[in-house]
């Protein structure tokens, strides 16, 4: 069973539909006991970093998510990926889940923000499960990006600057784009995560 964290700021309907189409049982929950029963935990999100952190803390989810991320495959999507990091500067300074070292800051680019649209992935060396997605296009909607050590970088994209697209720290993964809106490529990326590559 896959648990999607429902903290009031996620595109949970489209994300849950994507996983159900892959044949998985899905539960939407903000209950620690139900999250603990899941094989995989998915943290989606749309909105601002600061507001998301407040929602997670008010629901008493921060410490449970930090603990469970050490025990089972954990995937953050879009804002959910940004929440994996140590600190974010959107709407002020807020502490994230600190599952991946780094910060969330506004994209430094001459291009128009938000970054909206289809961009190609550049898969980094040493991440063989994702090699099939080299130069494949996926759908982004964001103005903030991860500032992260390259050892955590699985893939990036180009938007007037190099923007992290997929990150990884042990069994914790983050995807900046929307796989549920990225057609067959997005589906295959989710499948790669679910089939045991997040180890």
């Amino acid at each position: 069973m896959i648990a999607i964290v429902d903290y009031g700021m996620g595109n949970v309907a489209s994300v849950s539909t994507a996983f159900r189409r892959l044949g998985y049982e899905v539960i939407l929950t903000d209950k620690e006991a139900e999250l603990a029963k899941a094989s995989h935990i998915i943290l989606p999100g749309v909105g601002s970093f600061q507001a998301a952190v407040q929602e997670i803390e008010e629901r008493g989810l921060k410490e449970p998510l930090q603990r469970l991320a050490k025990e089972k495959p954990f995937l953050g999507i879009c804002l959910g990926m940004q929440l994996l990091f140590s600190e974010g500067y959107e709407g002020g300074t807020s502490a994230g889940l600190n599952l991946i070292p780094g910060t969330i800051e506004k994209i430094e680019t001459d291009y128009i923000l938000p970054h909206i649209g289809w961009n190609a992935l550049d898969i980094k060396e040493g991440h063989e499960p994702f090699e099939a997605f080299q130069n494949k296009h996926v759908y982004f909607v964001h103005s903030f990006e991860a500032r992260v050590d390259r050892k955590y970088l699985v893939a990036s994209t180009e938007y007037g600057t190099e923007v992290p697209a997929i990150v990884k720290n042990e069994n914790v993964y983050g995807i900046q784009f929307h796989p549920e809106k990225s057609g067959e490529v997005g589906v295959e990326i989710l499948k790669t995560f679910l089939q045991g590559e997040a180890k």
Side-chain angles (χ1 to χ4, degrees), residues 60-132:
L61 283 170
K62 189 169 186 178
E63 290 183 3
L65 290 176
Q66 289 171 323
R67 184 177 65 257
L68 291 168
K70 297 176 182 177
E71 301 172 1
K72 56 189 69 190
F74 194 107
L75 174 65
I77 298 174
C78 196
L79 175 59
M81 166 184 148
Q82 297 179 3
L83 293 170
L84 302 177
F85 287 87
S86 308
E87 199 168 60
Y89 303 137
E90 183 179 10
T93 301
S94 305
L97 294 174
N98 199 31
L99 299 173
I100 303 177
T103 58
I104 300 300
E105 303 180 33
K106 200 159 195 177
I107 302 170
E108 289 188 0
T109 180
D110 292 332
Y111 291 8
I112 293 172
L113 293 177
H115 169 207
I116 301 176
W118 296 82
N119 284 78
L121 293 173
D122 178 22
I123 308 299
K124 308 308 176 185
E125 289 185 18
H127 298 285
E128 288 77 10
F130 291 90
E131 285 179 350

Side-chain angles (χ1 to χ4, degrees), residues 5-6 33 41 59 70 72 77 87 98 102 108 117 135-138 146 151 179 199:
V5 183
D6 185 4
I41 294 177
R59 293 170 189 243
K70 297 176 182 177
K72 56 189 69 190
I77 298 174
E87 199 168 60
N98 199 31
E108 289 188 0
N135 295 323
K136 299 295 185 182
H137 284 72
V138 290
K151 69 181 180 180
K199 293 181 179 177

Side-chain angles (χ1 to χ4, degrees), residues 38-60:
S39 60
H40 300 71
I41 294 177
I42 313 299
L43 182 66
V46 174
S48 80
F49 189 100
Q50 186 179 63
V53 168
Q54 288 175 348
E55 286 288 340
I56 287 171
E57 290 179 344
E58 286 174 6
R59 293 170 189 243

Side-chain angles (χ1 to χ4, degrees), residues 163-176:
V163 175
I166 304 175
V167 293
K168 174 184 184 292
N169 184 19
E170 298 182 353
N171 59 296
V172 175
Y173 274 76
I175 296 176
Q176 179 61 73

